[in-house]
Amino acid sequence: MSAQVKKQLEEKMNKTIEALKSEFTTIRAGRANAQMLDKIRVDYYGTPTPVNQVGAISVPEPRTLMINPWDKTVMAEIEKAIRNSDLGLNPTNDGQVIRISVPALTEERRKELAKQAGKVAEEFKVRLRNERRDANDKLKKMEKDGDITEDDLKKSQDEVQKLTDKFVKEVDALLKAKEQDIMAV
């Protein structure tokens, strides 16, 4: 296989796996983690701003998140954004910091989150398959242009498939670990 095509494909697939890991951190498990709030946007003077850019987020206890806003005038907006998110969290504001108690997950909510993780994993498998298709298209073009032989094309496509299978297995392993994390009581 063209070493360059293989290298590019492997780099893209590694980036896809890293993006999946990042996405999984935003799906809530039983414990509090600051990444849970990564997708929440706060209306900061008319601009949707990530919550981690309007205050410092800390985890003082395993089931508590604390946000210390740099600008105290935005506290109501932070509270509103968290309440309106799909995380099911209820923030409290003492005038200085916002505390968020992360309740234990119900069995029903755990199953819902596991299902959500499955959908995310499937989206990333589709990305991997698209990357495989792009690599195969490049290889076919190389064969058409006379850069590689038909035998090289076949061998290269087999290598692309093996690489894709390896990364799909990694997605499955990450999903299994995330589901176990979600379902752990």
Side-chain angles (χ1 to χ4, degrees):
M1 167 156 130
S2 163
Q4 187 180 359
V5 172
K6 183 178 181 179
K7 185 174 183 244
Q8 286 174 342
L9 179 63
E10 202 158 1
E11 283 174 9
K12 283 181 178 179
M13 288 186 166
N14 275 321
K15 285 179 183 171
T16 300
I17 293 296
E18 289 308 310
L20 174 64
K21 289 176 183 174
S22 173
E23 186 74 22
F24 274 170
T25 63
T26 66
I27 297 176
R28 186 179 151 203
R31 296 172 306 285
N33 75 26
Q35 288 84 15
M36 291 169 55
L37 305 177
D38 281 356
K39 290 184 176 177
I40 295 178
R41 300 283 182 260
V42 177
D43 183 17
Y44 188 60
Y45 296 107
T47 307
T49 308
V51 73
N52 62 1
Q53 291 181 15
V54 294
I57 302 172
S58 60
V59 185
E61 297 165 22
R63 290 202 179 271
T64 306
L65 287 170
M66 193 167 71
I67 304 170
N68 190 353
W70 293 303
D71 177 357
K72 303 299 182 204
T73 62
V74 79
M75 289 182 91
E77 289 297 329
I78 294 172
E79 273 190 283
K80 185 173 133 189
I82 293 167
R83 277 201 184 91
N84 293 340
S85 74
D86 63 352
L87 293 173
L89 299 173
N90 195 17
T92 57
N93 171 351
D94 68 6
Q96 294 300 308
V97 295
I98 295 172
R99 292 186 202 296
I100 306 165
S101 178
V102 180
L105 295 171
T106 64
E107 186 68 23
E108 187 179 316
R109 183 72 174 138
R110 286 178 194 280
K111 287 178 182 171
E112 225 174 86
L113 290 170
K115 200 175 190 180
Q116 182 183 348
K119 282 181 185 171
V120 168
E122 194 51 47
E123 288 172 23
F124 279 85
K125 284 182 188 179
V126 169
R127 284 190 196 179
L128 291 172
R129 291 183 197 115
N130 288 340
E131 290 162 2
R132 172 189 64 195
R133 185 196 60 229
D134 293 347
N136 281 333
D137 289 348
K138 282 181 190 171
L139 291 167
K140 285 176 190 167
K141 185 179 181 331
M142 289 171 75
E143 191 249 349
K144 186 178 170 195
D145 294 346
D147 296 336
I148 59 175
T149 65
E150 195 175 325
D151 288 344
D152 288 339
L153 172 66
K154 181 74 179 127
K155 196 165 56 175
S156 296
Q157 286 176 328
D158 288 345
E159 287 180 43
V160 166
Q161 186 59 49
K162 284 178 187 159
L163 200 56
T164 304
D165 292 344
K166 174 186 144 193
F167 281 96
V168 166
K169 278 185 185 137
E170 192 170 343
V171 168
D172 288 336
L174 289 169
L175 173 61
K176 187 176 182 193
K178 185 63 181 178
E179 285 174 336
Q180 287 173 340
D181 189 27
I182 291 169
M183 298 310 278
V185 179

